[in-house]
Amino acid sequence: MMLRRGFVIFLPRLVGLLVVACCSVSIVYMLACTPKGDTEQLALPRVHSPTVKEGYEAILQEREEQHRDYVLSLKKQIAQLKAELQGRSEQLKNVQRQNPDPLDVQLDHSNPEKTQANLLAFLRAQVDKAEVHSGVKLSTEYAAVPFESFTLQKVYQLETGLTRHPEEKPVRKDKRDELVEVIELAVGSLNRPEGDSNTRHHVYTASDFVEGIYRTEKDKGTLYELTFKGDGKHQFKKIVLFRPFGPVMKVKNEDVNMADTLINVIVPLAKRASKFRQFMQNFREMGIQQDGRIHLTVVYFGKEQMNEVKYILENTSKSANFKNFTFIQLNEEFSRGKGLDIGARVWKGSNVVLFFCDVDIYFTAEFLNSCRLNTQPGKKVFYPVLFSQYNPSIIYGHQDSIPPLEQQLIIKKETGFWRDFGFGMTCQYRSDFINIGGFDLDIKGWGGEDVHLYRKYLHSNLIVIRTPVRGLFHLWHEKRCLDELTPEQYKMCMQSKAMNEASHGQLGMLVFRQEIETHLRRQKLSSKKT
């Protein structure tokens, strides 16, 4: 009963609220839908005018026509938008059919037929996107992807790699197998009869191959154009092949915690106290102050300058409150391999990352993290390609003074080069170094031991990470070619010295210095005469 009475009391209020809401909506609608008039408002007739009724009727009729035109205009715009939306939807569907989502190809294991169809569509789309059927407008000459050419025996290449040969028999197995496979596929395709024709035709073999060109667009695939001898003297057969790259697939997603990963930097040394002082400045700033998860092992050969080296080490220890270092002294001839081997084996703590380093190396805190991230016990070792600095006296010879070391460490072709023939700086876990057998201790002096260890890792099942890094520099130092060397050894030493001194262009400026100075004098004289 009380509920019923309450409902009766509440009903008039509800009706009143609904009326107010309807009125509000009507006012808003009139305000929104009323079209804007001209700058001059329509003059309302005076109340006492004899044409009051006709005037209001005219105004109402004009307003009604304006509303009608406005509604028709809105309907027309809505129809146009619907048509455009439908067209865009069709375009989107076509694009999706041509470019299926890589994740669909990767993850839809429940429908193998759909996965296969999507993958095939994706690979066909890769051909359409690459420069196979038509060219692509490029912004500059630097954006062009060059071809490389090849025959049955040789590859003619712009990127010469470690061999430095502009033409060579392919050394890398993957490149050799790739080109052999392409030629075999082309021969098989040429020998396949077209249609139902039983006409006998020339049987092609690899000996009919004349030449080929190929290039790789890294986001699309590799294009091959191969030319074979034809039936006549000036006739040829040309076949175009394309190896499309598949969709990107997620392999792993993991968290990596390096907070407790210690690096033991091992430095073999003999004399060179001034270089060691420079090294310790870098070690203190990057290793102790910025990184903090580091140990230093110095293996010193002989006694000359030893006290000076120990003083530098102990002074850094006191001033930086750094106790994580080991000093080992050996009374024998310097051997880099032996020094590193002893430094690695003397460690008695838990498994640690070893960074084999030289005294003329500069590293950043970012590099130390790269060292940790690219090593994994029993899985990966890290062989960074460092940037080798040219002679600062030549690079900055045109300036009033040579800038400080930190300002010299810029990666440009005028300042240095990637030392891709060097394998001495390396990071690996101690367990992997011990298991692989360490260094060949029969190698004396400097050089050779690093390549031997590198080959050991290549022959193992460990993954070798070889990449240029932006935070590891070889500082320039004078290279001396001894008189005791044979003529051939001396020549090789001088070639190496030239390569480390300056870039091709800078050396050319030194060779033609006299000619350049003569030209400048003539220019100066001619300007004075005028």
Side-chain angles (χ1 to χ4, degrees):
M1 193 69 177
M2 290 180 67
L3 287 171
R4 188 175 178 182
R5 189 180 302 165
F7 180 76
V8 170
I9 295 169
F10 178 70
L11 185 61
R13 295 179 184 175
L14 180 63
V15 171
L17 285 170
L18 287 173
V19 170
V20 171
C22 290
C23 291
S24 301
V25 170
S26 300
I27 292 168
V28 171
Y29 176 79
M30 289 179 68
L31 290 171
C33 294
T34 301
K36 295 179 180 177
D38 296 335
T39 54
E40 296 181 3
Q41 293 184 346
L42 291 171
L44 291 174
R46 295 175 183 174
V47 176
H48 301 291
S49 173
T51 58
V52 171
K53 185 177 180 180
E54 291 85 351
Y56 275 114
E57 286 178 350
I59 291 170
L60 288 171
Q61 187 176 357
E62 187 176 347
R63 292 275 176 95
E64 188 178 351
E65 288 176 358
Q66 287 177 349
H67 277 291
R68 192 182 299 115
D69 292 342
Y70 186 61
V71 170
L72 288 173
S73 173
L74 286 174
K75 286 182 177 179
K76 189 177 179 181
Q77 290 179 38
I78 290 169
Q80 289 174 346
L81 287 170
K82 282 183 177 179
E84 188 175 347
L85 180 62
Q86 188 173 359
R88 292 289 176 91
S89 298
E90 289 298 322
Q91 288 178 0
L92 182 61
K93 287 178 182 177
N94 290 334
V95 170
Q96 287 175 340
R97 280 195 292 267
Q98 291 176 1
N99 301 291
D101 186 356
L103 291 178
D104 288 343
V105 177
Q106 176 193 351
L107 299 174
D108 192 9
H109 300 297
S110 61
N111 192 340
E113 291 182 2
K114 180 186 175 184
T115 300
Q116 189 173 1
N118 284 351
L119 181 58
L120 188 60
F122 179 88
L123 297 177
R124 284 174 178 162
Q126 292 287 74
V127 179
D128 294 335
K129 287 190 290 184
E131 284 191 78
V132 178
H133 304 299
S134 60
V136 176
K137 291 182 180 179
L138 302 174
S139 55
T140 69
E141 65 274 21
Y142 299 104
V145 181
F147 282 89
E148 294 183 345
S149 60
F150 64 99
T151 63
L152 279 176
Q153 289 81 28
K154 297 285 181 69
V155 174
Y156 302 87
Q157 54 200 5
L158 289 175
E159 296 183 6
T160 56
L162 186 58
T163 65
R164 299 287 192 277
H165 296 317
E167 62 108 58
E168 67 175 10
K169 289 184 178 180
V171 176
R172 279 176 34 189
K173 185 177 184 297
D174 61 330
K175 185 180 284 190
R176 188 168 63 246
D177 292 349
E178 173 196 12
L179 298 180
V180 168
E181 179 191 12
V182 166
I183 293 172
E184 288 176 353
L185 281 171
V187 169
S189 179
L190 290 170
N191 288 329
R192 196 173 297 120
E194 297 179 3
D196 298 328
S197 174
N198 293 322
T199 308
R200 294 186 65 184
H201 64 281
H202 176 72
V203 177
Y204 290 89
T205 65
S207 61
D208 295 313
F209 176 62
V210 179
E211 67 172 4
I213 58 173
Y214 70 102
R215 71 173 175 186
T216 299
E217 294 180 73
K218 294 189 176 181
D219 60 335
K220 301 176 185 72
T222 304
L223 173 66
Y224 308 88
E225 295 186 13
L226 295 90
T227 304
F228 290 81
K229 296 173 188 175
D231 295 329
K233 183 178 180 182
H234 299 294
Q235 292 181 330
F236 297 92
K237 276 278 191 181
K238 197 159 193 175
I239 186 165
V240 178
L241 303 173
F242 188 76
R243 187 194 302 271
F245 293 159
V248 176
M249 298 178 67
K250 184 176 75 176
V251 176
K252 188 189 293 185
N253 185 351
E254 62 179 347
D255 295 324
V256 181
N257 185 0
M258 293 291 171
D260 300 321
T261 305
L262 186 71
I263 295 179
N264 185 3
V265 182
I266 304 177
V267 181
L269 188 63
K271 305 175 186 178
R272 307 186 73 187
S274 59
K275 280 289 181 183
F276 184 70
R277 180 177 287 104
Q278 184 183 52
F279 173 83
M280 286 305 298
Q281 289 174 355
N282 171 224
F283 183 87
R284 175 175 177 166
E285 181 184 352
M286 299 298 173
I288 301 173
Q289 295 175 354
Q290 293 193 28
D291 187 84
R293 297 155 291 165
I294 201 162
H295 185 97
L296 176 63
T297 300
V298 177
V299 182
Y300 195 85
F301 289 83
K303 292 184 178 179
E304 190 176 350
Q305 299 185 17
M306 183 186 71
N307 291 333
E308 189 176 350
V309 167
K310 287 182 74 175
Y311 173 77
I312 295 167
L313 188 58
E314 290 166 359
N315 188 49
T316 303
S317 172
K318 289 175 184 176
S319 59
N321 193 24
F322 177 70
K323 306 298 181 185
N324 293 338
F325 71 92
T326 304
F327 184 85
I328 302 168
Q329 194 263 333
L330 300 175
N331 289 320
E332 52 187 272
E333 183 185 355
F334 178 83
S335 169
R336 183 178 186 272
K338 186 169 185 179
L340 293 171
D341 199 273
I342 289 174
R345 294 179 189 275
V346 80
W347 177 262
K348 300 303 180 186
S350 59
N351 202 10
V352 66
V353 177
L354 305 176
F355 171 33
F356 295 153
C357 189
D358 289 337
V359 74
D360 48 16
I361 295 297
Y362 182 97
F363 59 84
T364 64
E366 289 77 15
F367 166 74
L368 294 176
N369 267 333
S370 298
C371 185
R372 293 182 178 96
L373 291 168
N374 288 292
T375 52
Q376 189 176 343
K379 189 73 177 287
K380 290 190 296 186
V381 295
F382 186 38
Y383 271 84
V385 179
L386 51 78
F387 193 76
S388 193
Q389 183 191 34
Y390 286 140
N391 187 344
S393 300
I394 296 177
I395 300 170
Y396 305 103
H398 61 285
Q399 298 183 10
D400 294 335
S401 62
I402 297 174
L405 177 61
E406 287 73 15
Q407 296 178 23
Q408 298 176 30
L409 302 176
I410 303 169
I411 299 176
K412 289 184 177 179
K413 66 178 182 179
E414 296 85 7
T415 60
F417 63 98
W418 291 116
R419 204 178 186 89
D420 57 353
F421 53 82
F423 307 96
M425 307 315 121
T426 173
C427 300
Q428 64 265 288
Y429 272 85
R430 182 178 180 274
S431 57
D432 292 326
F433 177 77
I434 298 298
N435 291 336
I436 207 75
F439 283 103
D440 182 355
L441 300 183
D442 292 331
I443 299 174
K444 304 297 181 184
W446 199 287
E449 79 294 328
D450 50 356
V451 179
H452 188 267
L453 180 66
Y454 181 61
R455 287 173 179 164
K456 279 186 177 181
Y457 282 127
L458 292 177
H459 296 157
S460 74
N461 292 324
L462 295 170
I463 299 171
V464 178
I465 306 295
R466 180 77 167 156
T467 180
V469 290
R470 65 184 186 277
L472 191 62
F473 297 87
H474 177 266
L475 303 180
W476 180 86
H477 56 85
E478 187 177 357
K479 187 178 181 69
R480 290 186 174 86
C481 297
L482 302 174
D483 291 336
E484 293 80 20
L485 297 174
T486 65
E488 185 63 28
Q489 287 175 327
Y490 192 82
K491 179 183 175 183
M492 290 175 63
C493 181
M494 290 302 293
Q495 287 174 343
S496 174
K497 182 175 181 176
M499 190 171 68
N500 283 272
E501 284 293 308
S503 67
H504 195 150
Q506 290 162 334
L507 288 175
M509 295 294 285
L510 292 175
V511 171
F512 298 112
R513 178 186 289 175
Q514 188 174 352
E515 189 175 329
I516 294 167
E517 290 174 352
T518 303
H519 170 76
L520 292 174
R521 282 196 299 270
R522 287 173 182 169
Q523 289 286 321
K524 197 173 181 179
L525 287 171
S526 61
S527 63
K528 283 182 179 179
K529 290 177 182 178
T530 56

